[in-house]
Amino acid sequence: DAKTTQPNSMESNEEEPVHLPCNHSTISGTDYIHWYRQLPSQGPEYVIHGLTSNVNNRMASLAIAEDRKSSTLILHRATLRDAAVYYCILTRGGGADGLTFGKGTHLIIQP
Amino acid sequence: NAGVTQTPKFQVLKTGQSMTLQCAQDMNHEYMSWYRQDPGMGLRLIHYSVGAGITDQGEVPNGYNVSRSTTEDFPLRLLSAAPSQTSVYFCASSYRDRGANTIYFGEGSWLTVV
């Protein structure tokens, strides 16, 4: 699977939008972009995924660059419960053979 | 709705002992997998299954066995525990959504090998 690059940590204030970046310059045409997050002492939680078009769901939005070499996870209004490690993951095809996790971005939310 | 259920949640083993981590899902998902997570690291894939009767190795399969006799269950067996297998283990199940797998993880099993 192609490699992703994320900042080690980011800080934001409660009730403000958060933009988490992910670079994936070696992405191929069939690679899906997935975002998962992991709260302390819990299993990872699915956030969102996309292929080419921007995606929205109840948790977040995914903005994908036109050349697909980068993407941004957008949390529209951060709460303290959003403090977690966020993983940006690419899968060749759908990812039936599992995910390759990097170190992710540790998001800190200030009250 | 139980989702993905793992047992036990905590376990201490002596070196050389064997044990089985149980995993069950009630969502009728075809795909299941096991990951381990060491302190400060991301998850690494141990084994996965794309359906009953079919299993395959992931990134770190050595020292572990799996079987998938039913859609619901995917146990992970440690054959002869070693201190290097001290880790948190996550079972997951997934389904196909808009061309890609959406994965649901269990709450984890904390294993210490002494």
Side-chain angles (χ1 to χ4, degrees):
Chain A
D1 293 330
K3 188 178 170 59
T4 62
T5 303
Q6 300 177 251
N8 288 334
S9 65
M10 288 184 62
E11 217 168 290
S12 185
N13 295 321
E14 198 176 9
E15 298 186 6
E16 290 186 357
V18 180
H19 291 235
L20 294 162
C22 181
N23 287 320
H24 28 78
S25 58
T26 60
I27 192 170
S28 76
T30 58
D31 285 345
Y32 282 80
I33 303 162
H34 302 253
W35 284 83
Y36 284 78
R37 72 179 186 181
Q38 187 174 23
L39 280 64
S41 299
Q42 294 189 24
E45 176 186 28
Y46 168 80
V47 179
I48 202 165
H49 77 272
L51 183 61
T52 55
S53 303
N54 294 345
V55 183
N56 299 300
N57 66 21
R58 63 174 181 82
M59 288 182 71
S61 296
L62 175 60
I64 301 173
E66 203 168 320
D67 63 3
R68 300 185 73 235
K69 293 184 185 301
S70 66
S71 61
T72 302
L73 178 71
I74 302 166
L75 306 179
H76 296 286
R77 195 164 168 268
T79 70
L80 295 178
R81 291 180 57 194
D82 292 321
V85 178
Y86 286 78
Y87 296 99
C88 170
I89 302 167
L90 302 185
T91 60
R92 186 63 41 92
D97 55 352
L99 303 174
T100 299
F101 285 78
K103 292 193 174 180
T105 296
H106 184 200
L107 177 64
I108 299 163
I109 305 295
Q110 298 289 354
Chain B
N1 194 0
V4 179
T5 303
Q6 294 181 229
T7 56
K9 193 166 178 70
F10 299 98
Q11 182 73 49
V12 178
L13 282 181
K14 293 183 179 178
T15 298
Q17 286 185 317
S18 62
M19 77 157 297
T20 299
L21 297 175
Q22 302 291 344
C23 177
Q25 54 100 0
D26 62 358
M27 298 173 282
N28 202 32
H29 289 169
E30 284 185 66
Y31 307 96
M32 295 187 75
S33 49
W34 276 101
Y35 294 79
R36 61 176 287 174
Q37 185 172 31
D38 300 323
M41 305 287 289
L43 280 71
R44 291 184 293 168
L45 182 65
I46 304 171
H47 285 285
Y48 66 98
S49 167
V50 298
I54 306 168
T55 64
D56 209 340
Q57 296 181 349
E59 182 186 352
V60 289
N62 292 340
Y64 307 95
N65 271 356
V66 291
S67 60
R68 184 97 182 272
S69 56
T70 67
T71 299
E72 295 78 21
D73 300 300
F74 192 44
L76 178 72
R77 279 182 286 277
L78 280 72
L79 308 172
S80 176
S84 60
Q85 293 179 303
T86 293
S87 191
V88 185
Y89 291 84
F90 292 100
C91 180
S93 73
S94 63
Y95 71 101
R96 209 76 166 177
D97 172 31
R98 293 181 292 114
N101 277 39
T102 297
I103 301 180
Y104 291 84
F105 287 85
E107 294 185 345
S109 295
W110 273 254
L111 176 66
T112 301
V113 183
V114 297

